[in-house]
Amino acid sequence: MLREAAAAFCRDGRTCQVERLGEGNINETFLVRSATGCFVLQRINARVFPEPLTVIENFARITGHFLEKQREHGLSFLMAAPVRTLGGALFHLDSEGSCWRGQSYLAGAPAANLFGESQVMRAGRTLARFHSLAADLDVAQLAEPLAGFHNLPGYMQEFDCVLRGTPRELDEAGRSCLGTINRIRPQATLLEDAKKAGILTVQPVHGDPKIDNFIFSESGAPDGMLDFDTVGGGLIHYDLGDCLRSSCNRAGEKGSDPSAVSFDLRYCRSFLEGYFTGGSTFGEVQRNLIFEAVYLIAFELGVRFFTDHLRGNTYFRVASDGENLARAIRQFRLVEDIAAKEQDIRRLIAAAARQH
């Protein structure tokens, strides 16, 4: 199927070189090299994205909007663009029913490969630029890529349902995860309640701005972002929380030792300074909820990993059973460290906002 898909986008499909690209948890991604250049080929995981055309059309819509803004106002943002099939379509449906799409290949350096305080600050500025460019895009033009995405109360309901149907008894690690979930459960509705009350509003967001999804220009041009699969209407606070969660965890997303997980306050300061320098402003009430966003998004991801572990690893791709449980344990360790540093984090948020 891989060769068939490559041939749909590449005129010399029989001779082009195809290699796996990255280690994403959801989709399968490949780099295609041909005589005419390189592009990224991706098979969309239909188990995760049951309506893959939604993902493809959202990507085309928001990149088109960004390009228009760049032409009109001279703004720059590094991002991929759709690569159409030889027949001019945005996707290829293979003989097994899998949906493939092409994107331009970005030759910059992924942020995760250039980790340091200056890169984290650049990530903050880049996320602010994304939000600024997307702010005037009518959110109604973006379909929902994943039902209930970043809705923590919904994830809690899903967890409860899966837990009730789990035939096996939880081991010590599982019981520890369950204890963390039940302890934090009363706070799970906080951001959704703020949305219902009109304190936080829905607007276009990236949806998955972990540090791996940032890219730095090697030419000195403005930086950008990758992986627009989850672009849609949402809360900016979820983007902020997710980016802080991933960029300030010095142990990284794939560390093997939970005790090494820690929320780095220096990185937090650098990110916030970058974000607020990028032109983003919040009222005091909205600003005060940034801490809750960091805390709850880390908790949310832990819940999702643990739920998938109990369900049999049907959402996040794993190399072996127990990998999602290990991921959940690391996220819950991060939640604990974030909670322990709450006052420090709140002071950093306030200081960054005052300076800009």
mmCIF file with all atom_site columns, all heavy atoms in Angstrom, residues 41-59:
data_model
loop_
_atom_site.group_PDB
_atom_site.id
_atom_site.type_symbol
_atom_site.label_atom_id
_atom_site.label_alt_id
_atom_site.label_comp_id
_atom_site.label_asym_id
_atom_site.label_entity_id
_atom_site.label_seq_id
_atom_site.pdbx_PDB_ins_code
_atom_site.Cartn_x
_atom_site.Cartn_y
_atom_site.Cartn_z
_atom_site.occupancy
_atom_site.B_iso_or_equiv
_atom_site.pdbx_formal_charge
_atom_site.auth_seq_id
_atom_site.auth_comp_id
_atom_site.auth_asym_id
_atom_site.auth_atom_id
_atom_site.pdbx_PDB_model_num
ATOM 1   N N   . LEU A 1 41 ? 4.616   11.922 3.126  1.00 0.00 ? 41 LEU A N   1
ATOM 2   C CA  . LEU A 1 41 ? 3.444   11.099 2.834  1.00 0.00 ? 41 LEU A CA  1
ATOM 3   C C   . LEU A 1 41 ? 2.940   10.520 4.148  1.00 0.00 ? 41 LEU A C   1
ATOM 4   O O   . LEU A 1 41 ? 3.730   9.994  4.931  1.00 0.00 ? 41 LEU A O   1
ATOM 5   C CB  . LEU A 1 41 ? 3.822   9.974  1.858  1.00 0.00 ? 41 LEU A CB  1
ATOM 6   C CG  . LEU A 1 41 ? 2.718   9.003  1.439  1.00 0.00 ? 41 LEU A CG  1
ATOM 7   C CD1 . LEU A 1 41 ? 1.643   9.719  0.634  1.00 0.00 ? 41 LEU A CD1 1
ATOM 8   C CD2 . LEU A 1 41 ? 3.319   7.857  0.625  1.00 0.00 ? 41 LEU A CD2 1
ATOM 9   N N   . GLN A 1 42 ? 1.654   10.614 4.385  1.00 0.00 ? 42 GLN A N   1
ATOM 10  C CA  . GLN A 1 42 ? 1.108   10.188 5.681  1.00 0.00 ? 42 GLN A CA  1
ATOM 11  C C   . GLN A 1 42 ? -0.182  9.408  5.509  1.00 0.00 ? 42 GLN A C   1
ATOM 12  O O   . GLN A 1 42 ? -1.077  9.807  4.760  1.00 0.00 ? 42 GLN A O   1
ATOM 13  C CB  . GLN A 1 42 ? 0.858   11.423 6.558  1.00 0.00 ? 42 GLN A CB  1
ATOM 14  C CG  . GLN A 1 42 ? 0.522   11.103 7.999  1.00 0.00 ? 42 GLN A CG  1
ATOM 15  C CD  . GLN A 1 42 ? 0.479   12.366 8.853  1.00 0.00 ? 42 GLN A CD  1
ATOM 16  O OE1 . GLN A 1 42 ? -0.333  13.240 8.629  1.00 0.00 ? 42 GLN A OE1 1
ATOM 17  N NE2 . GLN A 1 42 ? 1.389   12.468 9.817  1.00 0.00 ? 42 GLN A NE2 1
ATOM 18  N N   . ARG A 1 43 ? -0.233  8.262  6.200  1.00 0.00 ? 43 ARG A N   1
ATOM 19  C CA  . ARG A 1 43 ? -1.479  7.497  6.261  1.00 0.00 ? 43 ARG A CA  1
ATOM 20  C C   . ARG A 1 43 ? -2.206  7.887  7.536  1.00 0.00 ? 43 ARG A C   1
ATOM 21  O O   . ARG A 1 43 ? -1.689  7.737  8.636  1.00 0.00 ? 43 ARG A O   1
ATOM 22  C CB  . ARG A 1 43 ? -1.219  5.994  6.251  1.00 0.00 ? 43 ARG A CB  1
ATOM 23  C CG  . ARG A 1 43 ? -2.494  5.186  6.471  1.00 0.00 ? 43 ARG A CG  1
ATOM 24  C CD  . ARG A 1 43 ? -2.393  3.752  5.987  1.00 0.00 ? 43 ARG A CD  1
ATOM 25  N NE  . ARG A 1 43 ? -1.252  3.044  6.548  1.00 0.00 ? 43 ARG A NE  1
ATOM 26  C CZ  . ARG A 1 43 ? -0.907  1.800  6.168  1.00 0.00 ? 43 ARG A CZ  1
ATOM 27  N NH1 . ARG A 1 43 ? -1.614  1.180  5.229  1.00 0.00 ? 43 ARG A NH1 1
ATOM 28  N NH2 . ARG A 1 43 ? 0.142   1.211  6.702  1.00 0.00 ? 43 ARG A NH2 1
ATOM 29  N N   . ILE A 1 44 ? -3.405  8.402  7.396  1.00 0.00 ? 44 ILE A N   1
ATOM 30  C CA  . ILE A 1 44 ? -4.172  8.876  8.541  1.00 0.00 ? 44 ILE A CA  1
ATOM 31  C C   . ILE A 1 44 ? -4.805  7.682  9.259  1.00 0.00 ? 44 ILE A C   1
ATOM 32  O O   . ILE A 1 44 ? -5.432  6.821  8.627  1.00 0.00 ? 44 ILE A O   1
ATOM 33  C CB  . ILE A 1 44 ? -5.238  9.884  8.100  1.00 0.00 ? 44 ILE A CB  1
ATOM 34  C CG1 . ILE A 1 44 ? -4.560  11.113 7.495  1.00 0.00 ? 44 ILE A CG1 1
ATOM 35  C CG2 . ILE A 1 44 ? -6.123  10.294 9.273  1.00 0.00 ? 44 ILE A CG2 1
ATOM 36  C CD1 . ILE A 1 44 ? -5.504  12.169 6.990  1.00 0.00 ? 44 ILE A CD1 1
ATOM 37  N N   . ASN A 1 45 ? -4.629  7.649  10.543 1.00 0.00 ? 45 ASN A N   1
ATOM 38  C CA  . ASN A 1 45 ? -5.152  6.557  11.364 1.00 0.00 ? 45 ASN A CA  1
ATOM 39  C C   . ASN A 1 45 ? -6.669  6.700  11.501 1.00 0.00 ? 45 ASN A C   1
ATOM 40  O O   . ASN A 1 45 ? -7.162  7.561  12.233 1.00 0.00 ? 45 ASN A O   1
ATOM 41  C CB  . ASN A 1 45 ? -4.490  6.597  12.741 1.00 0.00 ? 45 ASN A CB  1
ATOM 42  C CG  . ASN A 1 45 ? -4.835  5.397  13.599 1.00 0.00 ? 45 ASN A CG  1
ATOM 43  O OD1 . ASN A 1 45 ? -5.880  4.769  13.432 1.00 0.00 ? 45 ASN A OD1 1
ATOM 44  N ND2 . ASN A 1 45 ? -3.957  5.077  14.536 1.00 0.00 ? 45 ASN A ND2 1
ATOM 45  N N   . ALA A 1 46 ? -7.399  5.845  10.790 1.00 0.00 ? 46 ALA A N   1
ATOM 46  C CA  . ALA A 1 46 ? -8.862  5.960  10.766 1.00 0.00 ? 46 ALA A CA  1
ATOM 47  C C   . ALA A 1 46 ? -9.488  5.569  12.099 1.00 0.00 ? 46 ALA A C   1
ATOM 48  O O   . ALA A 1 46 ? -10.624 5.958  12.386 1.00 0.00 ? 46 ALA A O   1
ATOM 49  C CB  . ALA A 1 46 ? -9.441  5.098  9.644  1.00 0.00 ? 46 ALA A CB  1
ATOM 50  N N   . ARG A 1 47 ? -8.770  4.806  12.911 1.00 0.00 ? 47 ARG A N   1
ATOM 51  C CA  . ARG A 1 47 ? -9.313  4.470  14.235 1.00 0.00 ? 47 ARG A CA  1
ATOM 52  C C   . ARG A 1 47 ? -9.359  5.700  15.130 1.00 0.00 ? 47 ARG A C   1
ATOM 53  O O   . ARG A 1 47 ? -10.234 5.826  15.986 1.00 0.00 ? 47 ARG A O   1
ATOM 54  C CB  . ARG A 1 47 ? -8.473  3.382  14.893 1.00 0.00 ? 47 ARG A CB  1
ATOM 55  C CG  . ARG A 1 47 ? -8.619  2.003  14.270 1.00 0.00 ? 47 ARG A CG  1
ATOM 56  C CD  . ARG A 1 47 ? -7.907  0.970  15.093 1.00 0.00 ? 47 ARG A CD  1
ATOM 57  N NE  . ARG A 1 47 ? -6.500  1.309  15.302 1.00 0.00 ? 47 ARG A NE  1
ATOM 58  C CZ  . ARG A 1 47 ? -5.674  0.604  16.068 1.00 0.00 ? 47 ARG A CZ  1
ATOM 59  N NH1 . ARG A 1 47 ? -6.120  -0.460 16.708 1.00 0.00 ? 47 ARG A NH1 1
ATOM 60  N NH2 . ARG A 1 47 ? -4.406  0.963  16.207 1.00 0.00 ? 47 ARG A NH2 1
ATOM 61  N N   . VAL A 1 48 ? -8.407  6.595  14.921 1.00 0.00 ? 48 VAL A N   1
ATOM 62  C CA  . VAL A 1 48 ? -8.345  7.830  15.706 1.00 0.00 ? 48 VAL A CA  1
ATOM 63  C C   . VAL A 1 48 ? -9.160  8.927  15.036 1.00 0.00 ? 48 VAL A C   1
ATOM 64  O O   . VAL A 1 48 ? -9.925  9.641  15.692 1.00 0.00 ? 48 VAL A O   1
ATOM 65  C CB  . VAL A 1 48 ? -6.879  8.276  15.892 1.00 0.00 ? 48 VAL A CB  1
ATOM 66  C CG1 . VAL A 1 48 ? -6.826  9.643  16.571 1.00 0.00 ? 48 VAL A CG1 1
ATOM 67  C CG2 . VAL A 1 48 ? -6.113  7.246  16.695 1.00 0.00 ? 48 VAL A CG2 1
ATOM 68  N N   . PHE A 1 49 ? -9.000  9.053  13.715 1.00 0.00 ? 49 PHE A N   1
ATOM 69  C CA  . PHE A 1 49 ? -9.712  10.066 12.946 1.00 0.00 ? 49 PHE A CA  1
ATOM 70  C C   . PHE A 1 49 ? -10.711 9.371  12.022 1.00 0.00 ? 49 PHE A C   1
ATOM 71  O O   . PHE A 1 49 ? -10.391 9.074  10.865 1.00 0.00 ? 49 PHE A O   1
ATOM 72  C CB  . PHE A 1 49 ? -8.744  10.912 12.124 1.00 0.00 ? 49 PHE A CB  1
ATOM 73  C CG  . PHE A 1 49 ? -7.747  11.697 12.926 1.00 0.00 ? 49 PHE A CG  1
ATOM 74  C CD1 . PHE A 1 49 ? -6.424  11.296 13.003 1.00 0.00 ? 49 PHE A CD1 1
ATOM 75  C CD2 . PHE A 1 49 ? -8.134  12.832 13.611 1.00 0.00 ? 49 PHE A CD2 1
ATOM 76  C CE1 . PHE A 1 49 ? -5.504  12.018 13.740 1.00 0.00 ? 49 PHE A CE1 1
ATOM 77  C CE2 . PHE A 1 49 ? -7.229  13.570 14.353 1.00 0.00 ? 49 PHE A CE2 1
ATOM 78  C CZ  . PHE A 1 49 ? -5.909  13.159 14.423 1.00 0.00 ? 49 PHE A CZ  1
ATOM 79  N N   . PRO A 1 50 ? -11.914 9.074  12.512 1.00 0.00 ? 50 PRO A N   1
ATOM 80  C CA  . PRO A 1 50 ? -12.893 8.345  11.691 1.00 0.00 ? 50 PRO A CA  1
ATOM 81  C C   . PRO A 1 50 ? -13.349 9.118  10.459 1.00 0.00 ? 50 PRO A C   1
ATOM 82  O O   . PRO A 1 50 ? -13.886 8.530  9.523  1.00 0.00 ? 50 PRO A O   1
ATOM 83  C CB  . PRO A 1 50 ? -14.057 8.106  12.658 1.00 0.00 ? 50 PRO A CB  1
ATOM 84  C CG  . PRO A 1 50 ? -13.895 9.125  13.733 1.00 0.00 ? 50 PRO A CG  1
ATOM 85  C CD  . PRO A 1 50 ? -12.421 9.349  13.868 1.00 0.00 ? 50 PRO A CD  1
ATOM 86  N N   . GLU A 1 51 ? -13.130 10.449 10.460 1.00 0.00 ? 51 GLU A N   1
ATOM 87  C CA  . GLU A 1 51 ? -13.453 11.278 9.297  1.00 0.00 ? 51 GLU A CA  1
ATOM 88  C C   . GLU A 1 51 ? -12.162 11.939 8.810  1.00 0.00 ? 51 GLU A C   1
ATOM 89  O O   . GLU A 1 51 ? -11.939 13.135 9.013  1.00 0.00 ? 51 GLU A O   1
ATOM 90  C CB  . GLU A 1 51 ? -14.494 12.335 9.664  1.00 0.00 ? 51 GLU A CB  1
ATOM 91  C CG  . GLU A 1 51 ? -15.821 11.789 10.139 1.00 0.00 ? 51 GLU A CG  1
ATOM 92  C CD  . GLU A 1 51 ? -16.592 11.100 9.018  1.00 0.00 ? 51 GLU A CD  1
ATOM 93  O OE1 . GLU A 1 51 ? -16.283 11.384 7.838  1.00 0.00 ? 51 GLU A OE1 1
ATOM 94  O OE2 . GLU A 1 51 ? -17.466 10.279 9.318  1.00 0.00 ? 51 GLU A OE2 1
ATOM 95  N N   . PRO A 1 52 ? -11.278 11.177 8.158  1.00 0.00 ? 52 PRO A N   1
ATOM 96  C CA  . PRO A 1 52 ? -9.975  11.739 7.772  1.00 0.00 ? 52 PRO A CA  1
ATOM 97  C C   . PRO A 1 52 ? -10.071 12.938 6.852  1.00 0.00 ? 52 PRO A C   1
ATOM 98  O O   . PRO A 1 52 ? -9.192  13.803 6.855  1.00 0.00 ? 52 PRO A O   1
ATOM 99  C CB  . PRO A 1 52 ? -9.268  10.558 7.090  1.00 0.00 ? 52 PRO A CB  1
ATOM 100 C CG  . PRO A 1 52 ? -10.348 9.598  6.732  1.00 0.00 ? 52 PRO A CG  1
ATOM 101 C CD  . PRO A 1 52 ? -11.412 9.769  7.768  1.00 0.00 ? 52 PRO A CD  1
ATOM 102 N N   . LEU A 1 53 ? -11.128 13.023 6.058  1.00 0.00 ? 53 LEU A N   1
ATOM 103 C CA  . LEU A 1 53 ? -11.275 14.163 5.161  1.00 0.00 ? 53 LEU A CA  1
ATOM 104 C C   . LEU A 1 53 ? -11.407 15.464 5.955  1.00 0.00 ? 53 LEU A C   1
ATOM 105 O O   . LEU A 1 53 ? -10.989 16.529 5.489  1.00 0.00 ? 53 LEU A O   1
ATOM 106 C CB  . LEU A 1 53 ? -12.483 13.969 4.245  1.00 0.00 ? 53 LEU A CB  1
ATOM 107 C CG  . LEU A 1 53 ? -12.599 14.950 3.071  1.00 0.00 ? 53 LEU A CG  1
ATOM 108 C CD1 . LEU A 1 53 ? -11.344 14.926 2.223  1.00 0.00 ? 53 LEU A CD1 1
ATOM 109 C CD2 . LEU A 1 53 ? -13.824 14.622 2.219  1.00 0.00 ? 53 LEU A CD2 1
ATOM 110 N N   . THR A 1 54 ? -11.970 15.390 7.156  1.00 0.00 ? 54 THR A N   1
ATOM 111 C CA  . THR A 1 54 ? -12.061 16.567 8.024  1.00 0.00 ? 54 THR A CA  1
ATOM 112 C C   . THR A 1 54 ? -10.675 17.100 8.355  1.00 0.00 ? 54 THR A C   1
ATOM 113 O O   . THR A 1 54 ? -10.412 18.305 8.294  1.00 0.00 ? 54 THR A O   1
ATOM 114 C CB  . THR A 1 54 ? -12.810 16.212 9.322  1.00 0.00 ? 54 THR A CB  1
ATOM 115 O OG1 . THR A 1 54 ? -14.174 15.933 9.012  1.00 0.00 ? 54 THR A OG1 1
ATOM 116 C CG2 . THR A 1 54 ? -12.752 17.360 10.317 1.00 0.00 ? 54 THR A CG2 1
ATOM 117 N N   . VAL A 1 55 ? -9.768  16.199 8.702  1.00 0.00 ? 55 VAL A N   1
ATOM 118 C CA  . VAL A 1 55 ? -8.393  16.585 9.023  1.00 0.00 ? 55 VAL A CA  1
ATOM 119 C C   . VAL A 1 55 ? -7.731  17.236 7.812  1.00 0.00 ? 55 VAL A C   1
ATOM 120 O O   . VAL A 1 55 ? -7.072  18.278 7.917  1.00 0.00 ? 55 VAL A O   1
ATOM 121 C CB  . VAL A 1 55 ? -7.586  15.340 9.471  1.00 0.00 ? 55 VAL A CB  1
ATOM 122 C CG1 . VAL A 1 55 ? -6.121  15.692 9.680  1.00 0.00 ? 55 VAL A CG1 1
ATOM 123 C CG2 . VAL A 1 55 ? -8.178  14.748 10.739 1.00 0.00 ? 55 VAL A CG2 1
ATOM 124 N N   . ILE A 1 56 ? -7.920  16.627 6.651  1.00 0.00 ? 56 ILE A N   1
ATOM 125 C CA  . ILE A 1 56 ? -7.293  17.117 5.419  1.00 0.00 ? 56 ILE A CA  1
ATOM 126 C C   . ILE A 1 56 ? -7.841  18.488 5.030  1.00 0.00 ? 56 ILE A C   1
ATOM 127 O O   . ILE A 1 56 ? -7.088  19.404 4.668  1.00 0.00 ? 56 ILE A O   1
ATOM 128 C CB  . ILE A 1 56 ? -7.506  16.088 4.295  1.00 0.00 ? 56 ILE A CB  1
ATOM 129 C CG1 . ILE A 1 56 ? -6.730  14.805 4.622  1.00 0.00 ? 56 ILE A CG1 1
ATOM 130 C CG2 . ILE A 1 56 ? -7.081  16.659 2.953  1.00 0.00 ? 56 ILE A CG2 1
ATOM 131 C CD1 . ILE A 1 56 ? -7.091  13.633 3.738  1.00 0.00 ? 56 ILE A CD1 1
ATOM 132 N N   . GLU A 1 57 ? -9.149  18.656 5.106  1.00 0.00 ? 57 GLU A N   1
ATOM 133 C CA  . GLU A 1 57 ? -9.757  19.940 4.718  1.00 0.00 ? 57 GLU A CA  1
ATOM 134 C C   . GLU A 1 57 ? -9.426  21.035 5.720  1.00 0.00 ? 57 GLU A C   1
ATOM 135 O O   . GLU A 1 57 ? -9.207  22.191 5.333  1.00 0.00 ? 57 GLU A O   1
ATOM 136 C CB  . GLU A 1 57 ? -11.264 19.762 4.583  1.00 0.00 ? 57 GLU A CB  1
ATOM 137 C CG  . GLU A 1 57 ? -11.658 18.919 3.369  1.00 0.00 ? 57 GLU A CG  1
ATOM 138 C CD  . GLU A 1 57 ? -13.150 18.689 3.279  1.00 0.00 ? 57 GLU A CD  1
ATOM 139 O OE1 . GLU A 1 57 ? -13.842 18.858 4.309  1.00 0.00 ? 57 GLU A OE1 1
ATOM 140 O OE2 . GLU A 1 57 ? -13.622 18.348 2.176  1.00 0.00 ? 57 GLU A OE2 1
ATOM 141 N N   . ASN A 1 58 ? -9.392  20.722 7.015  1.00 0.00 ? 58 ASN A N   1
ATOM 142 C CA  . ASN A 1 58 ? -8.992  21.715 8.011  1.00 0.00 ? 58 ASN A CA  1
ATOM 143 C C   . ASN A 1 58 ? -7.573  22.207 7.744  1.00 0.00 ? 58 ASN A C   1
ATOM 144 O O   . ASN A 1 58 ? -7.278  23.403 7.841  1.00 0.00 ? 58 ASN A O   1
ATOM 145 C CB  . ASN A 1 58 ? -9.064  21.119 9.420  1.00 0.00 ? 58 ASN A CB  1
ATOM 146 C CG  . ASN A 1 58 ? -10.462 21.145 10.011 1.00 0.00 ? 58 ASN A CG  1
ATOM 147 O OD1 . ASN A 1 58 ? -11.398 21.672 9.406  1.00 0.00 ? 58 ASN A OD1 1
ATOM 148 N ND2 . ASN A 1 58 ? -10.609 20.577 11.182 1.00 0.00 ? 58 ASN A ND2 1
ATOM 149 N N   . PHE A 1 59 ? -6.692  21.257 7.412  1.00 0.00 ? 59 PHE A N   1
ATOM 150 C CA  . PHE A 1 59 ? -5.300  21.614 7.129  1.00 0.00 ? 59 PHE A CA  1
ATOM 151 C C   . PHE A 1 59 ? -5.212  22.556 5.934  1.00 0.00 ? 59 PHE A C   1
ATOM 152 O O   . PHE A 1 59 ? -4.524  23.583 5.972  1.00 0.00 ? 59 PHE A O   1
ATOM 153 C CB  . PHE A 1 59 ? -4.490  20.344 6.884  1.00 0.00 ? 59 PHE A CB  1
ATOM 154 C CG  . PHE A 1 59 ? -3.064  20.591 6.500  1.00 0.00 ? 59 PHE A CG  1
ATOM 155 C CD1 . PHE A 1 59 ? -2.191  21.197 7.386  1.00 0.00 ? 59 PHE A CD1 1
ATOM 156 C CD2 . PHE A 1 59 ? -2.590  20.224 5.251  1.00 0.00 ? 59 PHE A CD2 1
ATOM 157 C CE1 . PHE A 1 59 ? -0.867  21.423 7.037  1.00 0.00 ? 59 PHE A CE1 1
ATOM 158 C CE2 . PHE A 1 59 ? -1.277  20.454 4.886  1.00 0.00 ? 59 PHE A CE2 1
ATOM 159 C CZ  . PHE A 1 59 ? -0.412  21.053 5.784  1.00 0.00 ? 59 PHE A CZ  1
#
